[in-house]
Amino acid sequence: MKSITVGITGASGSIYAQRLLVKLIESPSVDRIDLVLSQAGIRVVNEELGINAAGTGHRVVTELTGIESDKVIVHPASDIGATIASGSYESHAMIIVPCSMSSLACIASGVMRDLVHRAADVHLKEGRKLILVPRETPVHAIHLENMLKLARIGVQIVPAMPSFYHQLVTIGDLIEHFTHRLLDHLDVPHNQATRWEGSRKR
Ligand SMILES: Cc1cc2nc3c(=O)[nH]c(=O)nc-3n(C[C@H](O)[C@H](O)[C@H](O)COP(=O)(O)O)c2cc1C
């Protein structure tokens, strides 16, 4: 069983976080999800999904996912004394989806402006898996340098870029496919992926 920390920051692509949370809640391999949204993350979730994700508790989870679940613990980004701020708390992996360039820069610099950055820093210092899903275009040299710096210390950089070679038809299909790739990176088993089997087998 896995405990996973999910951060949502103020980059576009909050639908990926929404779909991932649903799949993590539904997964029998995941027993706890710690969720933290930055202030800007709350803003972008509202802009993109029309959901009020401010606050803590079951309401936020239900609003975000449509599921009532005890698996998810929502932490305020201001609570730098939350469980996930400590290395002694069990969390197997953290994913920040979507990850803003601002949060990516903070993590790359060891600056902890809020609980999202602190929890990410804890995963780094404890040698645990950290996955960042940045979304920005175009990117300048500082963005690229920050990503390189993090990749060099083992952070998985998984840009929110859908692929088109699976001949998926709708935007929803692309989102689902990318979300399944995130589950792969989190080592959460699933059987819904469209896996490439070579051109001839299509
Ligand atoms: C609607 C909206 C979309 C945004 N999209 C992006 C984006 O795709 N990538 C990004 O790096 N920042 C984006 N931003 C800017 C970030 O939200 C801003 O830099 C913020 O300070 C990030 O803070 P955080 O990292 O604490 O969440 C967006 C802001 C808004 C309001």
Side-chain angles (χ1 to χ4, degrees):
M1 293 295 258
K2 284 181 191 302
S3 304
I4 292 181
T5 302
V6 177
I8 301 177
T9 64
S12 184
S14 42
I15 194 159
Y16 292 122
Q18 185 183 45
R19 294 304 305 147
L20 182 69
L21 281 170
V22 168
K23 290 176 192 304
L24 291 177
I25 291 170
E26 289 173 348
S27 170
S29 307
V30 176
D31 63 351
R32 194 184 62 230
I33 301 151
D34 286 274
L35 174 66
V36 53
L37 291 93
S38 70
Q39 274 305 313
I42 292 169
R43 163 84 186 263
V44 177
V45 163
N46 191 250
E47 300 276 355
E48 294 189 336
L49 304 176
I51 290 168
N52 174 12
T56 54
H58 294 315
R59 186 200 62 80
V60 174
V61 181
T62 312
E63 288 271 324
L64 261 173
T65 64
I67 304 171
E68 285 186 30
S69 171
D70 291 334
K71 264 193 194 180
V72 190
I73 303 162
V74 186
H75 305 276
S78 58
D79 186 7
I80 42 82
T83 48
I84 52 172
S86 170
S88 63
Y89 185 70
E90 198 176 42
S91 170
H92 294 105
M94 178 171 184
I95 181 164
I96 303 182
V97 55
C99 185
S100 74
M101 287 300 150
S102 171
S103 280
L104 194 140
C106 286
I107 297 161
S109 316
V111 173
M112 284 152 261
R113 278 189 329 186
D114 64 14
L115 183 61
V116 178
H117 309 152
R118 171 61 187 168
D121 199 71
V122 165
H123 281 73
L124 281 178
K125 81 182 176 72
E126 299 294 331
R128 298 176 190 156
K129 183 174 276 202
L130 177 62
I131 301 170
L132 304 185
V133 183
R135 212 285 346 161
E136 187 54 282
T137 190
V139 285
H140 56 61
I142 296 172
H143 297 149
L144 293 167
E145 278 175 5
N146 285 335
M147 284 191 257
L148 179 61
K149 199 170 165 187
L150 289 167
R152 283 198 166 128
I153 59 165
V155 175
Q156 276 179 277
I157 307 289
V158 186
M161 294 179 185
S163 60
F164 296 89
Y165 55 84
H166 289 281
Q167 310 231 327
L168 301 170
V169 177
T170 67
I171 291 177
D173 292 339
L174 295 173
I175 291 164
E176 287 302 284
H177 180 68
F178 185 72
T179 308
H180 291 144
R181 298 293 293 125
L182 298 182
L183 291 175
D184 288 343
H185 287 287
L186 284 166
D187 300 321
V188 172
H190 63 92
N191 56 12
Q192 306 154 30
T194 315
R195 299 202 184 275
W196 181 245
E197 292 178 343
S199 311
R200 269 183 268 166
K201 293 187 181 161
R202 259 193 297 164

